[in-house]
Amino acid sequence: METSPIPVLTVQTAPFDDQRPGTNGLRRKTSVFEGKKNYLQNYIQSLLSSIDLRDRQGCTMVVGSDGRYFSRAATEVIVQMAAANGIGRLVIGHNGLLSTPAVSCIIRKIKAIGGIILTASHNPGGPGGDFGIKFNVANGGPSSDTVMERICQVSRTLEEYAICPDLRIDLSRLGRQEFDLENKFKPFRVEIVDSVEVYLQLLKNIFDFTAIKSLLTGPDQLKIHIDAMSGVMGPYVRRILCDELGAPANCAVNCVPLEDFGGRPPEPNLIYATSLVEAMKGGDFGFGAAFDADGDRYMILGENGFFVNPSDSVAIMAANLSSIPYFRQLGVKGFARSMATSTALDRVAKAMKLALYETPTGWRYFGNLMDSGRCSLCGEESFGTGSDHIREKDGLWSVLMWLSIMAARKQGVEQIVKEHWAKFGRNYFCRFDYEGLDPRAAFYLMRDLESVLTDKAFTSQKFAVGDHIYSVERADNFEYIDPVDGTVARNQGLRIVFTDASRLVFRMSGSGGGTGATIRIYAENYERDPERHNRETQVVLGPLIAIALKISNVHERTGRRGPNVIT
């Protein structure tokens, strides 16, 4: 019996005034998306309408999620609205799951117009947690400021959205599903694809899988411990590290994606990945790693819990790119880091006589550099590293980079890091996060601090803390001019550079869940002397932190006694 076409409905709505996407898309408490009538539908319509109608009709888009609570319901709404808005084909991960790197990979592979990723990254999940919607564009990378502004403008005047409420898909069934819609000449197509396969094939073209497998299975087998933190990375870890590369199944823990990530924030750092830290401190494993919910961030630990700072990690990768077939074949064009990330990468770039680009925080700024052939490797201090193989930071790629370097050098994590410090010097680095601040208090704090730093008299300031004297060399509000298209990004963070190359950076973060403001303070101290490379980070940076607290008055002005998080 012939089924009748699925109706396309137009539903009246009213705009919301808080749907401007931030650094990583639109993030809010899950209850906002789930409980506010039409909040989700309005944002999806704004996103779809921001794409030119001629480009949208019949195009292909990718959809994936990190598996957090509300993802399945949101995916169903996205499918229904994509169909009603003229999208021709959706490619969706099995059971709705796709890591952020895999979405970027698939967008580029199939030449999709873009992709929608349902994730709030390392933020908590569950009904009381956070939810997010991120739109990646045709190069596979995050939306530019221009695209985000378009979405915001549409959201402010939106009066209706289009949807096919009777359209139902089965996310658990691999393969193609087709639907006839009213007033549409071509059927709407949904393809449910293996979440791992396309991404796995890309990694096989980058790394020497045989060398890594020998490291993990040979006579001197490296014992590894991997924590997927109950996010999307479980299937990727099992398939790639265990099935393909031979690591034993019991090396991987928390590999079943859970809607609330097991009740803990899926954040790969020393505070939240405590089970990994404890396992590594036991000395039974030579390499440990954890991933965040959507798989773009990672943490590396060596034997006995030796911690690799993310700023050091990208610098060490840069210094060892000759270990990787991909870079041996394509060459190395240049490096990039966010302004807040330590300058360890700069020293490698200088030694290799390669360009180093300093960008604002946000992976989208690296995309232009990579698309124009200027950059091969980039990283941020917030546990994210990647290369021009995709246009996102990539946690599992980073782990395979480390395993490849270990296989080539036949050394452990700690030895590799300490030899790097001996050659290039050590950049002591830490970050203080003050979260959930009153937005007005945070705004005025940063405004007043900028007035202090940009006063001409400040550049002649000297700060004495104990037996340390720090002389200001320069201070500014970081501004970035894109070398590719000339666009300017202003107000990207306040920074103080001292004459001994130490730095302080103050930033308002744009990646929270909408519950207050976050101010981050970064401190960095460069040490050339190898005899002074094994000191405690907080002891070395204590004087700089004291200066930061004094000139910002952050505790007095926020009522806080200290930061929420130190990394």
Side-chain angles (χ1 to χ4, degrees), residues 144-206:
S144 66
D145 291 337
T146 305
V147 172
M148 290 193 289
E149 181 60 29
R150 272 206 307 269
I151 294 171
C152 177
Q153 291 301 326
V154 175
S155 76
R156 287 178 170 170
T157 58
L158 194 71
E159 296 180 345
E160 61 185 31
Y161 63 83
I163 191 167
C164 298
D166 296 337
L167 196 158
R168 296 282 184 270
I169 57 163
D170 183 355
L171 292 173
S172 67
R173 181 162 63 88
L174 289 169
R176 179 185 299 181
Q177 303 168 44
E178 290 194 346
F179 305 89
D180 288 319
L181 310 179
E182 277 185 356
N183 304 318
K184 304 285 183 183
F185 295 113
K186 290 183 178 179
F188 172 66
R189 196 162 83 204
V190 175
E191 293 177 25
I192 309 298
V193 299
D194 184 294
S195 301
V196 182
E197 184 61 31
V198 175
Y199 175 71
L200 167 61
Q201 295 308 317
L202 176 64
L203 293 181
K204 283 183 171 180
N205 289 329
I206 295 171

Coordinates of all heavy atoms in Angstrom, one line a residue, residues 144-206:
S144 N 32.8 30.6 11.7 CA 33.5 31.8 11.8 C 32.6 32.8 12.6 O 31.4 32.6 12.8 CB 33.8 32.4 10.4 OG 32.6 32.7 9.8
D145 N 33.2 33.9 13.0 CA 32.5 35.0 13.7 C 31.3 35.5 12.8 O 30.2 35.8 13.2 CB 33.4 36.2 14.0 CG 34.4 35.8 15.1 OD1 34.1 34.9 15.9 OD2 35.4 36.5 15.2
T146 N 31.6 35.5 11.5 CA 30.5 36.0 10.5 C 29.3 35.1 10.5 O 28.2 35.5 10.5 CB 31.1 36.1 9.1 OG1 32.3 36.9 9.1 CG2 30.1 36.7 8.1
V147 N 29.6 33.8 10.5 CA 28.5 32.8 10.5 C 27.7 32.9 11.8 O 26.5 32.9 11.8 CB 29.0 31.4 10.2 CG1 27.9 30.3 10.5 CG2 29.6 31.3 8.8
M148 N 28.4 33.0 12.9 CA 27.8 33.1 14.2 C 26.9 34.3 14.3 O 25.8 34.3 14.9 CB 28.8 33.0 15.3 CG 29.4 31.6 15.5 SD 30.4 31.4 17.0 CE 31.8 32.4 16.7
E149 N 27.4 35.4 13.8 CA 26.6 36.6 13.8 C 25.4 36.5 12.9 O 24.3 37.0 13.3 CB 27.5 37.8 13.3 CG 26.8 39.2 13.3 CD 26.4 39.6 14.7 OE1 27.0 39.2 15.7 OE2 25.4 40.3 14.7
R150 N 25.5 35.8 11.8 CA 24.3 35.6 11.0 C 23.2 34.8 11.7 O 22.0 35.1 11.7 CB 24.6 34.8 9.7 CG 25.0 35.7 8.5 CD 24.8 35.1 7.2 NE 25.4 33.7 7.0 CZ 26.6 33.5 6.6 NH1 27.4 34.5 6.2 NH2 27.0 32.3 6.4
I151 N 23.6 33.7 12.4 CA 22.7 32.9 13.2 C 22.0 33.8 14.3 O 20.8 33.7 14.5 CB 23.5 31.7 13.9 CG1 24.0 30.7 12.8 CG2 22.5 31.0 14.8 CD1 24.9 29.7 13.3
C152 N 22.8 34.6 14.9 CA 22.3 35.4 16.0 C 21.3 36.4 15.4 O 20.2 36.6 16.0 CB 23.4 36.2 16.6 SG 22.9 37.3 17.9
Q153 N 21.6 37.0 14.3 CA 20.7 38.0 13.7 C 19.3 37.4 13.3 O 18.3 37.9 13.6 CB 21.3 38.6 12.4 CG 22.5 39.6 12.8 CD 22.1 40.7 13.7 OE1 21.0 41.2 13.6 NE2 23.0 41.1 14.5
V154 N 19.4 36.2 12.8 CA 18.1 35.5 12.4 C 17.3 35.2 13.7 O 16.1 35.3 13.7 CB 18.4 34.1 11.6 CG1 17.1 33.4 11.4 CG2 19.1 34.4 10.3
S155 N 18.0 34.7 14.7 CA 17.3 34.3 16.0 C 16.6 35.5 16.6 O 15.5 35.3 17.3 CB 18.3 33.7 17.0 OG 19.1 34.8 17.6
R156 N 17.0 36.7 16.4 CA 16.4 37.9 17.0 C 15.1 38.3 16.4 O 14.3 39.1 17.0 CB 17.4 39.0 17.0 CG 18.5 38.8 18.0 CD 19.5 40.0 18.0 NE 20.5 39.8 19.1 CZ 21.5 40.6 19.3 NH1 21.8 41.5 18.3 NH2 22.3 40.4 20.3
T157 N 14.8 37.9 15.2 CA 13.6 38.3 14.5 C 12.8 37.1 14.1 O 11.8 37.3 13.4 CB 14.0 39.1 13.3 OG1 14.8 38.3 12.4 CG2 14.7 40.4 13.7
L158 N 13.1 35.9 14.5 CA 12.4 34.7 14.0 C 10.9 34.7 14.5 O 10.6 34.9 15.6 CB 13.1 33.5 14.6 CG 12.8 32.1 14.0 CD1 13.3 32.0 12.5 CD2 13.3 31.0 14.8
E159 N 10.1 34.4 13.5 CA 8.6 34.3 13.8 C 8.0 33.0 13.6 O 6.9 32.7 14.0 CB 7.9 35.4 13.0 CG 8.3 36.8 13.4 CD 7.6 37.9 12.6 OE1 6.9 37.5 11.5 OE2 7.6 39.1 13.0
E160 N 8.7 32.1 12.8 CA 8.2 30.8 12.5 C 9.3 29.8 12.2 O 10.4 30.2 11.9 CB 7.2 30.9 11.3 CG 7.9 31.4 10.0 CD 6.9 31.6 8.9 OE1 5.7 31.9 9.2 OE2 7.3 31.4 7.7
Y161 N 9.0 28.5 12.3 CA 10.0 27.5 11.9 C 9.2 26.4 11.1 O 8.0 26.3 11.3 CB 10.7 26.9 13.1 CG 9.9 26.2 14.1 CD1 9.5 24.9 14.0 CD2 9.5 26.9 15.3 CE1 8.8 24.2 14.9 CE2 8.7 26.2 16.3 CZ 8.4 24.9 16.1 OH 7.6 24.2 17.0
A162 N 10.0 25.7 10.3 CA 9.4 24.6 9.4 C 9.8 23.3 10.0 O 11.0 23.1 10.4 CB 9.9 24.8 8.0
I163 N 8.9 22.3 10.0 CA 9.2 21.0 10.6 C 8.3 20.0 10.0 O 7.2 20.3 9.6 CB 9.0 21.1 12.2 CG1 9.6 19.9 12.9 CG2 7.5 21.4 12.6 CD1 9.7 20.0 14.4
C164 N 8.8 18.7 10.0 CA 8.0 17.6 9.6 C 7.8 16.7 10.9 O 8.5 15.7 11.1 CB 8.7 16.8 8.5 SG 9.0 17.7 7.0
P165 N 6.8 17.0 11.7 CA 6.7 16.3 13.0 C 6.4 14.8 12.9 O 6.6 14.1 13.8 CB 5.5 17.1 13.7 CG 4.8 17.7 12.6 CD 5.8 18.0 11.5
D166 N 5.9 14.4 11.7 CA 5.5 13.0 11.6 C 6.7 12.1 11.1 O 6.6 10.9 10.9 CB 4.3 12.8 10.6 CG 3.1 13.4 11.1 OD1 3.0 13.6 12.4 OD2 2.2 13.8 10.3
L167 N 7.8 12.8 10.8 CA 9.0 12.0 10.3 C 9.7 11.3 11.4 O 10.1 12.0 12.4 CB 9.9 13.0 9.5 CG 11.0 12.4 8.6 CD1 11.4 13.5 7.6 CD2 12.2 11.9 9.3
R168 N 9.9 10.0 11.3 CA 10.6 9.3 12.3 C 11.7 8.5 11.7 O 11.6 7.9 10.7 CB 9.6 8.3 13.0 CG 8.4 8.9 13.7 CD 8.9 9.5 15.1 NE 7.8 10.0 15.9 CZ 7.4 11.3 15.8 NH1 8.1 12.1 15.0 NH2 6.4 11.7 16.5
I169 N 12.9 8.5 12.4 CA 14.0 7.7 11.9 C 14.5 6.7 13.0 O 14.2 6.9 14.2 CB 15.2 8.6 11.5 CG1 15.7 9.5 12.7 CG2 14.9 9.4 10.3 CD1 17.0 10.0 12.5
D170 N 15.2 5.7 12.6 CA 15.7 4.7 13.5 C 17.2 4.9 13.5 O 17.9 4.5 12.6 CB 15.3 3.3 13.0 CG 15.8 2.2 14.0 OD1 16.5 2.5 14.9 OD2 15.5 1.0 13.7
L171 N 17.7 5.5 14.6 CA 19.2 5.8 14.7 C 20.0 4.5 14.9 O 21.2 4.5 14.7 CB 19.4 6.7 15.9 CG 18.9 8.2 15.7 CD1 19.1 8.9 17.0 CD2 19.6 8.9 14.6
S172 N 19.4 3.4 15.3 CA 20.1 2.2 15.5 C 20.3 1.3 14.3 O 21.0 0.3 14.3 CB 19.4 1.3 16.6 OG 18.1 0.9 16.1
R173 N 19.6 1.7 13.2 CA 19.7 0.8 12.0 C 20.7 1.5 10.9 O 20.4 2.5 10.4 CB 18.3 0.7 11.4 CG 18.3 -0.2 10.1 CD 16.8 -0.6 9.8 NE 15.9 0.5 9.5 CZ 15.7 1.0 8.3 NH1 16.4 0.5 7.3 NH2 14.8 1.9 8.2
L174 N 21.8 0.8 10.7 CA 22.7 1.3 9.7 C 22.1 1.2 8.3 O 21.4 0.3 8.0 CB 24.0 0.5 9.8 CG 24.9 0.6 11.0 CD1 26.0 -0.4 11.0 CD2 25.6 2.0 11.0
G175 N 22.5 2.2 7.5 CA 22.0 2.2 6.1 C 21.1 3.4 5.8 O 21.0 4.4 6.6
R176 N 20.5 3.4 4.6 CA 19.8 4.5 4.1 C 18.3 4.4 4.4 O 17.7 3.4 4.3 CB 20.0 4.6 2.6 CG 19.3 5.7 1.9 CD 19.5 5.7 0.4 NE 20.9 5.8 0.0 CZ 21.3 5.7 -1.3 NH1 20.4 5.6 -2.2 NH2 22.6 5.8 -1.5
Q177 N 17.7 5.6 4.8 CA 16.3 5.6 4.9 C 15.8 6.8 4.1 O 16.4 7.9 4.2 CB 15.9 5.8 6.4 CG 16.5 4.7 7.3 CD 16.4 5.1 8.8 OE1 15.4 5.6 9.3 NE2 17.4 4.8 9.6
E178 N 14.7 6.6 3.3 CA 14.2 7.7 2.4 C 12.8 8.0 2.8 O 12.0 7.2 3.2 CB 14.3 7.3 1.0 CG 15.8 7.2 0.5 CD 15.8 7.2 -1.0 OE1 14.8 6.9 -1.7 OE2 17.0 7.4 -1.6
F179 N 12.5 9.3 2.6 CA 11.1 9.8 3.0 C 10.6 10.8 1.9 O 11.3 11.7 1.5 CB 11.2 10.6 4.3 CG 11.8 9.8 5.4 CD1 13.2 9.8 5.7 CD2 11.0 9.0 6.3 CE1 13.8 9.1 6.7 CE2 11.6 8.3 7.3 CZ 13.0 8.3 7.5
D180 N 9.4 10.5 1.5 CA 8.7 11.5 0.6 C 8.0 12.5 1.4 O 7.2 12.2 2.3 CB 7.7 10.7 -0.3 CG 8.4 9.8 -1.3 OD1 9.4 10.3 -1.9 OD2 7.9 8.7 -1.5
L181 N 8.3 13.8 1.0 CA 7.7 14.9 1.7 C 6.7 15.6 0.8 O 6.8 15.7 -0.4 CB 8.7 15.9 2.1 CG 10.0 15.3 2.9 CD1 10.9 16.4 3.2 CD2 9.5 14.6 4.2
E182 N 5.7 16.3 1.4 CA 4.7 17.1 0.6 C 5.5 18.2 -0.1 O 6.3 18.9 0.5 CB 3.7 17.7 1.6 CG 2.5 16.7 1.9 CD 1.5 17.4 2.7 OE1 1.6 18.6 3.1 OE2 0.5 16.7 3.0
N183 N 5.1 18.5 -1.3 CA 5.6 19.6 -2.1 C 7.1 19.6 -2.3 O 7.8 20.6 -2.5 CB 5.3 21.0 -1.4 CG 3.8 21.1 -1.2 OD1 3.0 20.7 -2.1 ND2 3.4 21.6 0.0
K184 N 7.7 18.3 -2.2 CA 9.2 18.2 -2.5 C 9.3 17.2 -3.6 O 8.7 16.1 -3.6 CB 9.9 17.6 -1.2 CG 9.7 18.5 0.0 CD 10.5 19.8 0.0 CE 10.4 20.6 1.3 NZ 11.1 21.8 1.3
F185 N 10.1 17.6 -4.6 CA 10.3 16.7 -5.8 C 11.1 15.5 -5.5 O 10.9 14.4 -6.0 CB 10.9 17.5 -7.0 CG 10.0 18.6 -7.4 CD1 10.3 19.9 -7.3 CD2 8.7 18.3 -8.0 CE1 9.4 20.9 -7.7 CE2 7.9 19.3 -8.5 CZ 8.2 20.6 -8.3
K186 N 12.2 15.7 -4.7 CA 13.1 14.6 -4.4 C 12.8 14.1 -3.0 O 12.5 14.8 -2.1 CB 14.5 15.0 -4.5 CG 14.9 15.3 -6.0 CD 16.4 15.6 -6.0 CE 16.9 15.9 -7.5 NZ 18.3 16.3 -7.5
P187 N 13.0 12.8 -2.7 CA 12.9 12.2 -1.4 C 14.0 12.8 -0.5 O 15.1 13.0 -0.9 CB 13.0 10.7 -1.5 CG 13.7 10.5 -2.8 CD 13.3 11.7 -3.7
F188 N 13.7 12.9 0.8 CA 14.7 13.3 1.8 C 15.4 12.0 2.3 O 14.7 11.0 2.6 CB 13.9 14.0 3.0 CG 14.8 14.2 4.2 CD1 15.8 15.2 4.1 CD2 14.5 13.6 5.4 CE1 16.6 15.4 5.2 CE2 15.3 13.8 6.5 CZ 16.4 14.7 6.4
R189 N 16.7 12.1 2.4 CA 17.5 10.8 2.6 C 18.2 11.0 4.0 O 18.9 12.0 4.2 CB 18.4 10.6 1.5 CG 19.0 9.2 1.5 CD 19.5 8.8 0.1 NE 20.9 9.4 0.0 CZ 21.5 9.6 -1.2 NH1 20.8 9.5 -2.3 NH2 22.7 10.1 -1.3
V190 N 18.2 10.0 4.8 CA 19.0 9.9 6.0 C 19.9 8.6 5.9 O 19.4 7.6 5.6 CB 18.1 9.8 7.3 CG1 19.0 9.6 8.5 CG2 17.3 11.1 7.4
E191 N 21.2 8.8 6.1 CA 22.1 7.7 6.1 C 22.7 7.5 7.5 O 23.3 8.5 8.0 CB 23.2 7.9 5.1 CG 22.7 7.8 3.7 CD 23.8 8.1 2.7 OE1 25.0 7.9 3.0 OE2 23.5 8.6 1.6
I192 N 22.5 6.4 8.2 CA 23.1 6.1 9.5 C 24.4 5.3 9.2 O 24.3 4.3 8.6 CB 22.1 5.3 10.3 CG1 20.7 5.9 10.4 CG2 22.7 5.1 11.7 CD1 20.7 7.3 11.0
V193 N 25.5 5.9 9.6 CA 26.8 5.4 9.3 C 27.5 4.9 10.5 O 27.3 5.4 11.6 CB 27.7 6.4 8.5 CG1 27.0 6.8 7.2 CG2 28.0 7.6 9.4
D194 N 28.5 3.9 10.3 CA 29.4 3.5 11.4 C 30.1 4.7 11.9 O 30.7 5.5 11.2 CB 30.4 2.5 10.8 CG 31.3 1.9 11.9 OD1 32.1 2.7 12.4 OD2 31.2 0.7 12.1
S195 N 30.1 4.9 13.2 CA 30.6 6.1 13.8 C 32.1 6.2 13.7 O 32.7 7.3 13.7 CB 30.3 6.2 15.3 OG 28.9 6.1 15.5
V196 N 32.8 5.1 13.5 CA 34.3 5.1 13.6 C 34.9 4.9 12.2 O 36.0 5.5 12.0 CB 34.7 3.9 14.5 CG1 36.2 3.9 14.7 CG2 34.1 4.0 15.9
E197 N 34.3 4.2 11.3 CA 35.0 3.7 10.1 C 35.7 4.8 9.3 O 36.9 4.7 8.9 CB 34.0 3.0 9.2 CG 34.6 2.3 8.0 CD 35.7 1.3 8.3 OE1 35.6 0.6 9.3 OE2 36.7 1.2 7.5
V198 N 35.1 5.9 8.9 CA 35.7 6.9 8.0 C 36.9 7.6 8.8 O 37.9 7.8 8.2 CB 34.6 8.0 7.6 CG1 35.3 9.1 6.8 CG2 33.5 7.3 6.8
Y199 N 36.7 7.8 10.0 CA 37.8 8.4 10.8 C 38.9 7.5 11.0 O 40.1 7.9 10.9 CB 37.2 8.8 12.2 CG 38.2 9.3 13.2 CD1 38.7 10.6 13.1 CD2 38.5 8.6 14.3 CE1 39.6 11.1 14.0 CE2 39.4 9.1 15.3 CZ 39.9 10.3 15.1 OH 40.8 10.8 16.1
L200 N 38.7 6.2 11.2 CA 39.7 5.2 11.3 C 40.6 5.1 10.0 O 41.8 5.1 10.1 CB 39.1 3.8 11.6 CG 40.0 2.6 11.4 CD1 41.2 2.6 12.3 CD2 39.2 1.3 11.6
Q201 N 39.9 5.2 8.9 CA 40.6 5.1 7.6 C 41.6 6.3 7.4 O 42.7 6.3 6.9 CB 39.7 5.0 6.4 CG 38.9 3.7 6.4 CD 39.8 2.5 6.5 OE1 40.9 2.4 5.8 NE2 39.4 1.5 7.3
L202 N 41.1 7.5 7.9 CA 41.9 8.7 7.9 C 43.2 8.5 8.7 O 44.3 8.8 8.3 CB 41.1 9.9 8.4 CG 41.9 11.3 8.4 CD1 42.4 11.7 7.1 CD2 41.1 12.3 9.1
L203 N 43.0 8.0 10.0 CA 44.1 7.8 10.8 C 45.1 6.8 10.3 O 46.4 7.0 10.4 CB 43.7 7.3 12.2 CG 42.8 8.3 13.0 CD1 42.5 7.7 14.4 CD2 43.6 9.6 13.3
K204 N 44.6 5.8 9.6 CA 45.5 4.8 8.9 C 46.4 5.5 7.9 O 47.5 5.0 7.6 CB 44.7 3.7 8.3 CG 44.2 2.7 9.3 CD 43.5 1.5 8.6 CE 43.2 0.4 9.6 NZ 42.5 -0.7 8.9
N205 N 45.9 6.5 7.3 CA 46.7 7.2 6.2 C 47.7 8.2 6.8 O 48.5 8.8 6.1 CB 45.8 8.0 5.3 CG 45.0 7.0 4.4 OD1 45.5 6.0 4.0 ND2 43.8 7.4 4.0
I206 N 47.6 8.4 8.2 CA 48.5 9.4 8.8 C 49.6 8.7 9.6 O 50.8 9.2 9.5 CB 47.6 10.3 9.8 CG1 46.6 11.1 9.1 CG2 48.5 11.1 10.7 CD1 45.6 11.8 10.0

